[in-house]
Amino acid sequence: MLSCPVNGWTLFSLEGTESQLLSYLDDIAPEWLDQAIHGLKTLQPFCVKGFLEPMRMICVVSYWNCHVLVEDDDRDPLNPEEVLHEISHTSMLEFCRQLRDDIRANLEQWVRFVDYHEEDLEEKRLRLEQKLAELDTLIAAREESFDERHCFL
């Protein structure tokens, strides 16, 4: 879902969607982990975003699917033909698993993804590890909610 960050850029893609090159203008790892944690805690759809410079990517993570939107960053009204809308049959639980795995696999690069030399990187690493542990716990706790016997109202 997220490639290893290199020089302030990462590729984001879900099954059945185009890859989007996201910049360091959003600190993706902590921001997306916060959204995923909130989504699994509340069992409510959530949204993550990334900046493409100059476009913006918004991913709405619903229960059974993700909606990826790419829109212009202007304040002008959007022309529907200029907005990319793709749908991936990736459940909320699977999105959270992939997010956790991709951040954990490249933790050092995510710690340094946004580095303005104003933040203690060791503290940031610890915060990311705590968020990953919390997401682990929530994924395990919510497995049953996403089995074939359950639905969301």
Side-chain angles (χ1 to χ4, degrees), residues 138-151:
L138 286 166
I139 288 169
R142 294 302 193 187
E143 292 271 350
E144 186 177 326
S145 298
F146 288 87
D147 70 16
E148 294 178 7
R149 298 173 291 145
H150 290 84
C151 66

Side-chain angles (χ1 to χ4, degrees), residues 97-113:
R97 282 187 192 124
Q98 289 182 35
L99 178 65
R100 174 201 61 197
D101 295 346
D102 292 346
I103 293 172
R104 186 170 281 146
N106 299 295
L107 185 61
E108 277 309 307
Q109 291 86 346
W110 286 112
V111 167
R112 298 177 189 286
F113 185 63

Side-chain angles (χ1 to χ4, degrees), residues 68-105:
V68 178
L69 303 164
V70 177
E71 64 182 14
D72 197 351
D73 192 37
D74 289 339
R75 293 175 185 232
D76 299 328
L78 291 173
N79 181 343
E81 291 84 37
E82 295 172 355
V83 177
L84 173 70
H85 177 215
E86 297 178 305
I87 300 170
S88 174
H89 185 57
T90 303
S91 72
M92 181 186 298
L93 192 66
E94 184 56 30
F95 181 95
C96 291
R97 282 187 192 124
Q98 289 182 35
L99 178 65
R100 174 201 61 197
D101 295 346
D102 292 346
I103 293 172
R104 186 170 281 146

Side-chain angles (χ1 to χ4, degrees), residues 11-63:
L11 276 174
F12 166 75
S13 65
L14 294 169
E15 185 178 337
T17 69
E18 292 181 25
S19 295
Q20 303 298 330
L21 189 59
L22 306 180
S23 85
Y24 69 94
L25 293 178
D26 290 291
D27 199 356
I28 289 170
E31 292 172 12
W32 288 27
L33 286 169
D34 285 342
Q35 293 299 317
I37 288 166
H38 180 74
L40 283 183
K41 273 185 181 175
T42 62
L43 279 181
Q44 294 293 315
F46 62 92
C47 180
V48 295
K49 68 179 181 71
F51 202 56
L52 304 164
E53 296 187 42
M55 306 292 276
R56 176 183 302 110
M57 187 280 307
I58 299 168
C59 179
V60 178
V61 181
S62 190
Y63 300 108

